[in-house]
Amino acid sequence: MLGLPSAGANKDVASQHPVSPDAHGSQRLATPRARVTQQPKIVSVAVSRPGRPYYVNPLRSVSGLVPERIDEGVDFGGSGPVYALGDAIVTNAGENAGWPGGGWITYQLTDGPDQGLMVYLAEDVTPAVQTGQHVTPSTVIANMFDGGDGIETGWAQPTGVSAESELPEAGGVGGGGPFPTMVGLNFDQLLQVLGVPAAPNAGDTAYGLLPANYPTVWK
């Protein structure tokens, strides 16, 4: 996957995510770096609302969870079920040839501070849902397997084609970096709020831009 070498991983970054598919499913070169800037680290607070949180740790049942790096999204090793982050509608459940491992799921959140935003889960996962399905934080959307790449999860483009970080509004940072991206760091901060261990590069300077519609506080 896109993760930095960590805890036994030893990967060639330049060859892990060289292309991503266009709208027709063909492969293209990763989006060139454009408008790459440095911005301050995001500060977030605990999720809270009466009754239950809006969002729940989607990796809570993964066995041997290993945080890897923040890149376009956030990378993890391990195996087991992956849940939806919150109430959502699945917009894609299948494969994306531009990502190692092939698995590709996107869903649009329908509740909470990030309502309307799109989440992706990619790489070494087998989808357990179908396009159009309504899901909750109790829904297993995929099963993560030990296929050598691990998984990546983060904010997707509104179309669900690829990662949000590749779009001009987010600085145009594709699979070649530099990392961590601002949108990847934002997603990692949300996962940390939910109890997921921080990525090894969570404290590094972030690149690209965080679009205005991406919250930095979840409450």
Side-chain angles (χ1 to χ4, degrees):
M1 68 190 291
L2 286 176
L4 280 176
S6 63
N10 194 3
K11 305 170 183 175
D12 180 0
V13 174
S15 65
Q16 288 149 6
H17 188 26
V19 294
S20 53
D22 60 21
H24 303 289
S26 62
Q27 293 186 336
R28 55 178 171 78
L29 292 177
T31 306
R33 305 179 204 170
R35 296 199 306 153
V36 175
T37 59
Q38 299 181 357
Q39 296 189 3
K41 184 177 179 179
I42 300 161
V43 177
S44 58
V45 299
V47 177
S48 63
R49 71 165 169 166
R52 65 177 178 87
Y54 279 111
Y55 307 128
V56 181
N57 179 356
L59 305 175
R60 60 190 179 272
S61 296
V62 173
S63 177
L65 183 69
V66 178
E68 294 184 345
R69 75 172 180 183
I70 301 168
D71 36 51
E72 294 182 85
V74 192
D75 300 342
F76 295 93
S79 60
V82 179
Y83 296 85
L85 185 67
D87 295 340
I89 298 175
V90 177
T91 57
N92 194 314
E95 295 187 358
N96 184 322
W99 295 71
W104 180 258
I105 298 168
T106 59
Y107 58 90
Q108 186 172 40
L109 293 167
T110 59
D111 198 5
D114 293 311
Q115 181 177 353
L117 295 185
M118 193 81 72
V119 178
Y120 72 87
L121 174 64
E123 303 182 353
D124 286 350
V125 292
T126 302
V129 290
Q130 297 180 340
T131 300
Q133 183 175 337
H134 290 254
V135 296
T136 74
S138 299
T139 305
V140 174
I141 61 171
N143 288 291
M144 176 180 172
F145 57 88
D146 185 7
D149 293 309
I151 66 165
E152 179 168 322
T153 185
W155 297 122
Q157 297 175 14
T159 59
V161 170
S162 195
E164 171 69 20
S165 66
E166 296 177 4
L167 293 181
E169 67 185 22
V173 185
F179 301 133
T181 62
M182 278 297 296
V183 291
L185 179 61
N186 179 265
F187 198 82
D188 185 69
Q189 288 286 330
L190 172 55
L191 291 179
Q192 286 186 57
V193 165
L194 300 177
V196 178
N201 62 339
D204 291 358
T205 299
Y207 297 88
L209 306 169
L210 183 67
N213 58 323
Y214 285 78
T216 59
V217 174
W218 296 274
K219 63 179 181 178

